[in-house]
Amino acid sequence: MQVQSVQIREATENDLEAIVSLFADDPLGGHGDTTDPEALPNYRAAFRKIAASPNETLYVAELHGQVVGTFQTMVTTTLTALGSSSLIIEAVQTRADMRGRGIGAAMIDFAIEHARETGMRLVQLTSNAVRKDAHRFYERLGFTPSHIGFKLKLK
């Protein structure tokens, strides 16, 4: 079932609790996200840092007035590829009861179109190695698993 009326817009601080709920409900993420009110100041500080950045944007997907998905984009410019810029998509999450309705595709399509409109060379993202369904989803949207990512946790 495809969702026709999903709206993608920049997140506001009023969306913060709904966004955090999406991450806290993710059994595979392993990020320790929580809806505990004591953690809200940490999320609020991160939201404000993202909102203040000229190269980062946090979005929500909204359906019938409810936040049903979220993602973040970052622009990075490197000297490689003649000094081109790329759009990185991070933290893609669709509410569990809304998966399979085209919300994730709408969010990714929105990001890709934005990248095209702003002259980006490419769009890239990473996905946790255990998220096999997500990998199939991204490949269906035209992404190719061309690189291997590495991470070093510091905290």
Side-chain angles (χ1 to χ4, degrees):
M1 176 175 134
Q2 294 289 66
V3 175
Q4 300 300 323
S5 58
V6 66
Q7 299 294 316
I8 311 296
R9 62 171 174 78
E10 283 191 40
T12 68
E13 201 163 328
N14 291 335
D15 299 314
L16 195 53
E17 289 185 40
I19 294 168
V20 170
S21 291
L22 293 171
F23 296 136
D25 191 40
D26 176 15
L28 296 178
H31 300 289
D33 290 301
T34 178
T35 56
D36 183 336
E38 289 186 22
L40 194 56
N42 294 334
Y43 291 113
R44 187 171 287 116
F47 176 88
R48 290 176 179 166
K49 188 173 182 180
I50 294 164
S53 171
N55 294 321
E56 299 178 62
T57 307
L58 182 65
Y59 294 94
V60 293
E62 191 175 64
L63 182 64
H64 307 301
Q66 294 184 17
V67 171
V68 295
T70 188
F71 66 100
Q72 181 175 342
T73 62
M74 293 162 282
V75 175
T76 183
T77 302
T78 64
L79 290 177
T80 60
L82 304 174
S84 65
S85 295
S86 301
L87 187 75
I88 300 169
I89 303 172
E90 282 285 329
V92 179
Q93 194 68 253
T94 300
R95 204 171 76 190
D97 65 328
M98 299 301 284
R99 292 188 185 127
R101 299 180 184 207
I103 294 166
M107 292 189 297
I108 299 300
D109 288 346
F110 180 93
I112 292 169
E113 185 56 31
H114 173 71
R116 280 193 179 106
E117 289 173 357
T118 56
M120 301 288 145
R121 177 179 68 94
L122 65 86
V123 175
Q124 60 186 4
L125 54 82
T126 59
S127 179
N128 188 312
V130 301
R131 295 184 183 276
K132 301 302 181 191
D133 290 340
H135 303 166
R136 286 188 292 277
F137 167 73
Y138 293 129
E139 288 179 20
R140 195 170 61 247
L141 294 177
F143 288 84
T144 58
S146 63
H147 290 68
I148 295 174
F150 296 90
K151 294 186 180 193
L152 174 64
K153 287 194 177 188
L154 301 177
K155 290 185 182 182

